Each structure stands twice: as structure tokens, then as C-alpha cells.
Amino acid sequence: MPSPAPDSTIPSLPSSIQHTDLQPPPSPRTHRALRRLQSAHTLGASRNVAAVSSFNQPSLISQQRLREQQHQQHQQQDGNGSPTRGRGASGRARANSDATPPLVHQMNTLTATRRPGSKKPVFSHGHLTLSQIIRDGPADGDYVGALESARWKVIDEGVKSAEDGMSTVRIYVWLILLDAPILSTDDYLALIHRGASPAYSKIRNDTFRTLTTDPLFRRRVSEASLIRLLNAIAWKLHDVKEEERLTLPSTGRSSMARASLASNASESSQGKPEPGVYVQGMNVLAAPFLYAARGEAEAFVAFHSLLTRECPGYIRGAMDGVHRGLALVDKVLAIVDPKLAMYLTAKGLSAEIYAFPSVLTLCACTPPLPEVLRLWDFLFAYGPHLNIVCIVAQLTIMRSQILESPSPNKVLRSFPQLNADLVKSVTIGIIKKIPDDVYGEIVNHTL
């Protein structure tokens, strides 16, 4: 990976912000030359519009997943004439991180292994550790086998990490599970050197509030690092939006004609969704990536893949995907625990009131951070859409406390400390109770 430019090449800070007291971003394990740049506070000084090379080419694993998924669909259709379970009413395919095999089959297999006398499923790379699979790659080009083995090991053994959640392998596990492309440091720096994005003021209003009560995060990740990452993401989202705008003819046409053209263009793109934008709360969603990554470029490409491939509906328009997720929290809770659901409804408490941060941030708003990382291992292995079920799991875990409280709103203002293993275990049990059509909604709600 190319090294960033030395500090001597960085322009001096504008006088208007020289008084800002930046804390040097601590990095006890690796030398982070990138974070010495302190370029977050020079973003407003210049606006370099140099083009940044695209890095959204499909990876080998992505292509292999698609071929395998198509093969499985053909097999099932030939056998019983029905498509795989991973499609909802809209006909959209299962999310990238949940391609094959179908999640419920995998989860039922997992549950079976915990019964007396049962055996673990056999995968092609099952004899290797997760670290070996990540380090050595697939044997004999068996990308699907290596991926499925890695997913199994994530849930069966977990990602080995220290008490503070730090792991030398976790960020690479995430990059693979999120199917993130390779990005050079120079490409990331090119985004940084463009200056302040149109969303820069919104970013600055959010970053200083990010996980302020978490000493682990504050010690490892600086606000300057978070600003750089979010500003680079904002530029990428802005560029996509600009490209779409420029493809619509506008000169010499009335606003009505342009609206008609836009409508036709939308139809001709076969339902291609509108680009995303920077939204409040994205700072919390970015925080675990910076904490787990060995450098900002790694955190950037993993975060960008999550937003644009797995959860585009969360950052589009009025965050429609988030609101669909909140409605699904209510629906799933009513299925698995009708008494608890009715009690909350009687108190006027819908998920829109108490679960918005948990849905938007994939539970990153609930401490402690090391447990968030372990829960994310699970979500990235089997699909971030399962966060909806994880939230319902947390509600059932605190069921007695909610039902015994005359004002459950006070209880729900702050969820109990996250216990990733317990949440995963309860989530797996809940999945078996969800009807196929509702599960299809869960899969598709992030898109």
C-alpha cells in the first residue's frame, strides 16, 4: 500500500482554526503515518476537484457468490419450481453478505449442532482456523468453500480478540464478508485533499459527540480521523449524485419536461435507486470501523461497502430503509412475544420512539464497544439486515424489566449493556419463528 506523503507536505492550518486543540490519535500497535496528517482541520482551506479513480469493480468473491447463487436457484427451481427463500415480494435478491447458503438453513444447522449427539457441518476449509483462511486464502480457488467456512467459524468460534476488542484479523474478516474492493491509500488521500465536502458542516456538528462516554474509542480514534473518513464518504456519495444529475438533459427544457425525462430515465434504469447522502448518525456507524481498522483507508472502504452495498436504504432520501426496519421491529416482536408487544403498544411505544438509533447504527450506539465488534462479526457474516432480529432479541432479554415498569419508556431510553453472545443466541432462536414472508421483508428492508 503506497505510503502517505510526509507531514512536511501538509499545508498549514488556516488562522481561523489554529486554536483548535487536536489530540494526537493514539496507536499503540502500529505507526499510523496517515493520522499524522491532521488534515481534517484543513478541509475547508481548499477544494481540489481532482477526479478519484473508481473502485467499485466486482471482486472475485462477489462474482463467485453470484454464480453460486444462480446455480442454487436453478437447482431449486428444477426441483420444485419455486425460487429460494432469500427473495421478498419485490423479487430482489438476498443481501450480498447473505448470498449462500440461505441463512435460515445455516442457522438451523447451527442450532442442531448444539443438541446432544449432533455433528458439526463439514466445510471444505473446516480444518483451518479463521486466521489461516484469511491469511492463506482459498485452497484450489474454492472461494465459496472458503467463504462459507469463514462464516461458520465466525459464529462457531468468533474472531479472536483481546479484552478491548482489538484483533489483528478482524478488519480483514469484515472486508471479505462485506465484499469490499481493494483501495490504495493514494485514492483515499485524493478524496481527503479535495477539501470540504458539501456535507462538511453537518459532519463537524456530529463528530465531537461520537461515543463520548467510551474511553476505549476516545483513546484510540481521534475526532480528526473520524472527520476525514466521513468527509471522504460524503464526497463519494456526492459524486454519484452528481453523475446521475449530469446524465439528465436540462439545457433549453422546461422544468416539467426535465421532470418527465427524469421519470423516464428512472424507469429505463429498471428501478435503480437514488444515490445516498450523508445522514446524521453516520458518525456512530463509522466509529467501529475506525476502531477495528489498522488504517483509515481500510476503515473507509469497509464503511463505504456497508453503506452502498448492504444498507443503501439507510442513507437514501428520508432514510426509508431505517423506517422500514423500525416497522419490522414491531412486527417481529408481535410474532415472537405478543404479550410484550401489546404492553408496549398500550403504553404508546412503537419502535420509532425507542429503537431508531439501534436500527440506524446496527446497535453501535449500545456499549460496550468490544461487544459491538463481536455482534458485527455475526451481522457481517450473515447479513446486516439481521440487526432487526438482534434488537428484538434485546427486548426479549429485558422483558421482565419492561413488563414490571409502569413507565417502560424510561427503561427503553437506554438499552442494557450489550452481550453479543447472548444476543446472537436469542436471535438464532427467534429466526426459526419468523414466517417466510416477514423474513423476506427483513432481508430486503436495507436495500
Side-chain angles (χ1 to χ4, degrees):
M1 180 179 291
S3 299
D7 290 342
S8 59
T9 63
I10 305 303
S12 59
L13 294 173
S15 58
S16 59
I17 57 175
Q18 282 181 343
H19 65 278
T20 303
D21 184 17
L22 285 179
Q23 295 182 356
S27 179
R29 303 191 181 198
T30 59
H31 177 67
R32 299 188 181 211
L34 180 60
R35 289 185 175 170
R36 296 205 327 261
L37 295 177
Q38 296 185 3
S39 54
H41 292 278
T42 67
L43 290 172
S46 63
R47 290 176 179 265
N48 182 3
V49 295
V52 179
S53 61
S54 172
F55 56 88
N56 284 326
Q57 298 298 320
S59 67
L60 290 176
I61 288 182
S62 179
Q63 298 174 41
Q64 187 75 14
R65 281 181 184 170
L66 180 60
R67 287 195 295 269
E68 181 70 13
Q69 186 178 25
Q70 291 172 342
H71 176 67
Q72 285 195 350
Q73 290 173 354
H74 287 313
Q75 281 186 328
Q76 290 204 0
Q77 288 173 343
D78 291 342
N80 55 26
S82 62
T84 58
R85 186 187 184 196
R87 294 182 177 271
S90 63
R92 281 181 285 203
R94 184 179 295 273
N96 288 336
S97 59
D98 197 24
T100 66
L103 175 104
V104 170
H105 169 73
Q106 184 82 337
M107 289 302 188
N108 288 340
T109 303
L110 172 64
T111 304
T113 64
R114 296 185 175 179
R115 296 172 185 165
S118 61
K119 297 181 179 180
K120 290 185 178 182
V122 177
F123 293 108
S124 62
H125 293 65
H127 60 290
L128 301 175
T129 66
L130 182 60
S131 296
Q132 289 174 322
I133 295 174
I134 300 302
R135 183 191 64 209
D136 301 332
D140 301 324
D142 184 10
Y143 290 96
V144 171
L147 181 63
E148 293 310 312
S149 298
R151 293 170 72 196
W152 166 261
K153 288 182 178 297
V154 165
I155 195 170
D156 186 48
E157 304 172 1
V159 177
K160 304 301 181 185
S161 58
E163 187 176 348
D164 61 0
M166 298 309 302
S167 167
T168 57
V169 74
R170 172 171 278 121
I171 186 60
Y172 303 111
V173 174
W174 288 3
L175 288 167
I176 290 172
L177 294 175
L178 292 170
D179 201 16
I182 295 174
L183 175 71
S184 71
T185 302
D186 286 344
D187 287 341
Y188 176 67
L189 289 174
L191 289 169
I192 298 299
H193 293 157
R194 289 172 68 175
S197 70
Y200 181 67
S201 60
K202 294 180 180 179
I203 292 170
R204 292 302 304 272
N205 285 333
D206 290 341
T207 52
F208 72 93
R209 296 177 290 188
T210 306
L211 305 186
T212 54
T213 61
D214 193 311
L216 292 175
F217 178 77
R218 304 299 291 183
R219 185 167 65 241
R220 182 172 177 81
V221 180
S222 70
E223 183 185 357
S225 179
L226 186 58
I227 292 171
R228 285 193 295 267
L229 175 66
L230 293 174
N231 194 72
I233 288 289
W235 269 126
K236 289 296 296 183
L237 299 177
H238 170 80
D239 289 349
V240 174
K241 206 172 189 67
E242 279 297 291
E243 288 173 9
E244 182 178 88
R245 184 183 66 83
L246 293 175
T247 59
L248 299 176
S250 58
T251 304
R253 298 182 183 272
S254 66
S255 59
M256 184 176 295
R258 289 197 298 272
S260 177
L261 284 169
S263 176
N264 293 335
S266 178
E267 292 176 2
S268 64
S269 65
Q270 298 181 349
K272 181 180 179 182
E274 64 175 295
V277 296
Y278 178 85
V279 298
Q280 187 177 26
M282 200 180 284
N283 55 311
V284 178
L285 194 56
F289 287 105
L290 281 171
Y291 185 82
R294 298 169 68 88
E296 286 181 27
E298 290 175 341
F300 169 82
V301 71
F303 186 37
H304 185 265
S305 294
L306 174 70
L307 293 177
T308 58
R309 296 184 178 189
E310 298 291 346
C311 304
Y314 282 18
I315 60 171
R316 193 167 53 236
M319 296 188 284
D320 292 339
V322 177
H323 292 289
R324 288 194 297 270
L326 290 165
L328 283 167
V329 171
D330 289 329
K331 181 179 288 189
V332 173
L333 182 62
I335 292 171
V336 301
D337 196 333
K339 180 178 179 180
L340 180 59
M342 291 179 63
Y343 183 73
L344 291 177
T345 300
K347 296 292 184 178
L349 293 174
S350 66
E352 286 274 358
I353 296 174
Y354 62 82
F356 190 95
S358 296
V359 172
L360 175 60
T361 67
L362 304 183
C363 293
C365 59
T366 304
L369 185 54
E371 292 298 308
V372 172
L373 303 182
R374 296 182 181 99
L375 184 63
W376 277 24
D377 296 338
F378 168 70
L379 291 179
F380 294 164
Y382 292 96
H385 54 269
L386 280 180
N387 181 51
I388 300 304
V389 190
C390 289
I391 294 171
V392 175
Q394 291 176 77
L395 292 173
T396 60
I397 291 171
M398 54 193 298
R399 182 179 192 272
S400 297
Q401 186 180 2
I402 294 173
L403 292 176
E404 293 171 2
S405 173
S407 302
N409 187 35
K410 296 180 180 178
V411 178
L412 294 171
R413 285 177 187 171
S414 178
F415 279 27
Q417 293 271 301
L418 193 63
N419 182 328
D421 287 339
L422 178 58
V423 170
K424 286 186 293 184
S425 178
V426 175
T427 296
I428 292 168
I430 291 175
I431 287 174
K432 297 186 295 182
K433 303 177 183 179
I434 301 176
D436 286 358
D437 58 336
V438 178
Y439 184 80
E441 292 180 50
I442 294 173
V443 170
N444 289 322
H445 88 276
T446 61
L447 304 179

